[in-house]
Amino acid sequence: MLDREEPRGTGKHFIAPQSRAATPRPGTANGLEELATSLRLGQAEPGVVYLVGAGPGDPGLVTVRAARLVATADVVLHDLLVAQELLDLVRPEAELYDVGKVGDGRHVAQEDTNALLVRLAKEGRSVVRLKGGDPFVFGRGGEELAELLEAGVRAEVVAGVTSGTGALAAAGIPATHRLLASAVAFVTGHGHNDKPETGRDWASLAHFPGTLVFYMAVKALPTVARELMAHGRSADEPAAIVERGTSDEQRVTRTTLSELPRVARQAGVRAPALVVVGDVVGLGTALDWRALRPLDGRRVVVTRAGAAAAQLAGRLRSLGAIVAELPAIRTIPTGVELPALAGVDLVCVASPAAADALAAGLAAKGQDLRALHGAAVAAVGPGTADALLRYGIRADLVPARAVTEGLLEAIDAAGLTPQRVVVVQARGGRPLLADTLTARGASVTVADLHQTEPEPLTAEQLAELQAADAVLFASGSAAKAVAHALREHGADPAAALAQVRSVAIGPTTAQALHELGITPAAVADPHTPDGLVAATIALLS
Ligand code: SAH
């Protein structure tokens, strides 16, 4: 990680940019651009340092302003506890620094970070300093801002969702409550070592008329509990510890003030965690809305490449699932040219990837949608129809049953008797459509403009796959690709997935699984991403 050839900082420690081997996922910044434009959000300006709150961990709790600045800055400095999805927005050519840790595990000294911020800004770069939660809540943001302004550097502070509200919301613990708490205090668990006067006044805290939220209090728990009780807070007052709030690994442990230290020790509580003391905790698990999500905590693997996978993963996450995305297959062009479309009366598109291939095929010939003007367009299902629509092509036929057989039925139902047909599908796809239409007397050209290739699995992805409650297959080729990748790891696909429930998007995919010795636990109906989500809920909740 640490590139020792390009040191930066005060000289006491090396601070070097992280290597940027992983390229950011494409497409993420585009939607953001549109949103930023509609909200009139400017981009990061040269020579300015932005102290930006990154929220408590859930990427959904990052502000739009924060995302926009991260996506446009020349340099981004972050520490631990910052959502990876936010860092994925950093431009490939921008520099990324992890100042949470240097190579040997120590933190980068605050003065080194400050010196680096000043230097970069004075070099005329736009600099984002990302901080967990809110920069002004126990984040030393005030000190950093003072140093920047003193050094004559322009700066902006972007508020973030502090963990004290973000993690409590995710834990279903209201910070205030009309009947139970009319105030909330954010308190640091450890005092400032050099300045005891900024430490806590335990008597005032004990008498505080509301909820106490302690940050950085894991180590100091015994002190916190003892001092609060010694100064008059009831030993029976409800208390909770929220670890890694808002993340997939969030854990909420509930107890009473006097029991806090023992319970925390027993549960093996670790930072980052908040300690909450107050009657609002006494509402118990009744407000634990996360636990009520249909797929709460279920581990689901999505085997689908590209934007479609991201959308499916997003839906599953909103339902509470812990989702891992397996690329499984990548689509590559075959080099085949799109056949001439003049005189063609039906163009069939067999998958979302085929829709992409059709658009690319037109562009490669210097053509556009007008080349399709004489033909009806048939999509195999709603997902493919959506993909076509992104290119401005509205499919004339979208069968209710999203399989080739359904498409044939739809052609019949529409009373079409196509004479010249082009079928855009992956190389090696099912011949059924072309064969049937040919048998009916049509002249059919299969345009296999693209093909799929299995994407190897990393060891980590293999582990995720085997630990999953369910794995979702959205195509037969994805099933074959995963099987191929498993064999590459020396694993027999059927044995490797014996403990994991497989869900197929439709009968063709189910058949492909059967051929691999894998019995799907469910087959989606309708054979669409929505159907896949519904089948997963039925299976796991
Ligand atoms: N500026 C941050 C706080 C920085 S101090 C904010 O506004 O949230 C670091 C402390 O914040 C941690 O020790 C922990 O007490 C708390 N914290 C940060 N993220 C958290 C999370 N996701 N869940 C629970 N506590 C968190």
Side-chain angles (χ1 to χ4, degrees):
M1 280 295 140
L2 203 67
D3 181 354
R4 295 207 171 261
E5 277 162 28
E6 282 184 60
R8 270 211 150 96
T10 57
K12 257 189 263 165
H13 303 291
F14 286 111
I15 310 181
Q18 289 177 264
S19 60
R20 306 292 313 286
T23 41
R25 272 170 291 159
T28 32
N30 298 333
L32 183 61
E33 282 301 290
E34 280 163 36
L35 187 55
T37 308
S38 73
L39 295 177
R40 312 270 190 288
L41 294 184
Q43 53 184 38
E45 289 292 324
V48 180
V49 174
Y50 299 86
L51 299 179
V52 177
D58 174 355
L61 294 177
V62 166
T63 65
V64 184
R65 178 74 178 141
R68 169 70 167 166
L69 290 171
V70 168
T72 56
D74 296 325
V75 187
V76 175
L77 289 86
H78 68 97
D79 39 34
L80 305 166
L81 308 181
V82 168
Q84 183 57 44
E85 287 83 349
L86 184 57
L87 297 181
D88 287 345
L89 293 177
V90 176
R91 295 182 296 131
E93 60 274 26
E95 272 179 18
L96 187 61
Y97 290 87
D98 180 353
V99 293
K101 259 190 191 153
V102 283
D104 53 8
R106 284 170 311 167
H107 280 61
V108 173
Q110 186 72 41
E111 67 260 33
D112 285 352
T113 304
N114 291 349
L116 180 58
L117 291 173
V118 170
R119 166 121 53 99
L120 290 165
K122 292 203 162 161
E123 285 171 13
R125 316 244 245 142
S126 56
V127 185
V128 164
R129 169 74 174 107
L130 265 182
K131 304 177 81 76
D134 181 279
F136 276 3
V137 179
F138 306 126
R140 303 184 76 164
E143 295 162 49
E144 281 182 22
L145 179 64
E147 287 227 12
L148 291 167
L149 299 181
E150 233 162 77
V153 171
R154 270 178 61 204
E156 176 181 323
V157 182
V158 180
V161 174
T162 187
S163 51
T165 56
L168 259 62
I173 302 173
T176 68
H177 189 283
R178 204 165 45 85
L179 303 175
L180 300 173
S182 54
V184 56
F186 293 153
V187 189
T188 168
H190 64 67
H192 196 300
N193 294 339
D194 322 326
K195 295 195 188 118
E197 67 273 19
T198 59
R200 284 103 335 131
D201 170 351
W202 289 111
S204 301
L205 285 176
H207 293 111
F208 181 77
T211 311
L212 298 172
V213 181
F214 290 91
Y215 290 58
M216 300 173 283
V218 173
K219 273 204 201 113
L221 251 186
T223 315
V224 169
R226 188 186 60 234
E227 294 294 333
L228 286 178
M229 289 188 293
H231 289 85
R233 203 97 181 183
S234 161
D236 298 328
E237 185 156 339
I241 304 160
V242 184
E243 295 171 84
R244 298 176 293 280
T246 76
S247 76
D248 282 346
E249 289 82 40
Q250 170 175 305
R251 179 169 72 158
V252 183
T253 310
R254 294 160 188 277
T255 176
T256 59
L257 181 56
S258 61
E259 288 290 285
L260 258 180
R262 189 184 62 77
V263 168
R265 210 176 330 111
Q266 239 168 32
V269 163
R270 285 186 298 124
L274 292 170
V275 176
V276 191
V277 178
D279 290 334
V280 286
V281 178
L283 292 166
T285 53
L287 300 183
D288 188 359
W289 58 269
R290 273 170 63 116
L292 295 172
R293 297 172 301 173
L295 292 176
D296 181 56
R298 307 300 194 285
R299 295 186 179 274
V300 178
V301 170
V302 176
T303 59
R304 239 189 127 155
Q311 246 180 42
L312 188 58
R315 286 207 54 198
L316 293 164
R317 284 202 179 101
S318 320
L319 294 165
I322 300 169
V323 184
E325 289 171 56
L326 287 194
I329 40 176
R330 71 176 147 226
T331 302
I332 52 173
T334 51
V336 166
E337 195 178 307
L338 183 66
L341 295 174
V344 168
D345 48 13
L346 178 66
V347 175
C348 299
V349 185
S351 65
D356 296 337
L358 173 63
L362 284 169
K365 295 178 80 174
Q367 295 179 343
D368 61 28
L369 307 185
R370 288 170 295 174
L372 288 164
H373 77 277
V377 175
V380 75
T384 304
D386 283 349
L388 285 167
L389 207 50
R390 281 200 289 276
Y391 298 107
I393 304 168
R394 192 175 296 279
D396 301 288
L397 287 180
V398 186
R401 242 168 27 106
V403 287
T404 309
E405 289 81 350
L407 188 54
L408 284 164
E409 285 163 17
I411 290 170
D412 293 340
L416 291 183
T417 48
Q419 299 304 307
R420 295 191 51 197
V421 181
V422 169
V423 177
V424 186
Q425 66 180 32
R427 177 161 295 174
R430 294 174 76 199
L432 179 68
L433 185 60
D435 288 354
T436 309
L437 293 174
T438 306
R440 292 179 183 178
S443 142
V444 181
T445 311
V446 172
D448 49 355
L449 311 177
H450 70 292
Q451 62 188 356
T452 56
E453 201 178 75
E455 185 94 63
L457 288 180
T458 63
E460 190 192 340
Q461 288 171 328
L462 179 67
E464 275 171 344
L465 185 58
Q466 294 197 284
D469 294 305
V471 50
L472 275 44
F473 293 97
S475 68
S477 51
K480 284 179 208 142
V482 168
H484 177 88
L486 285 169
R487 282 192 215 100
E488 296 276 286
H489 278 274
D492 169 57
L497 296 181
Q499 303 305 318
V500 186
R501 278 169 284 190
S502 299
V503 186
I505 197 169
T508 314
T509 307
Q511 183 57 34
L513 285 169
H514 279 297
E515 282 163 19
L516 295 163
I518 299 165
T519 309
V523 181
D525 192 5
H527 318 317
T528 59
D530 282 349
L532 208 44
V533 170
T536 307
I537 293 173
L539 192 63
L540 297 183
S541 64

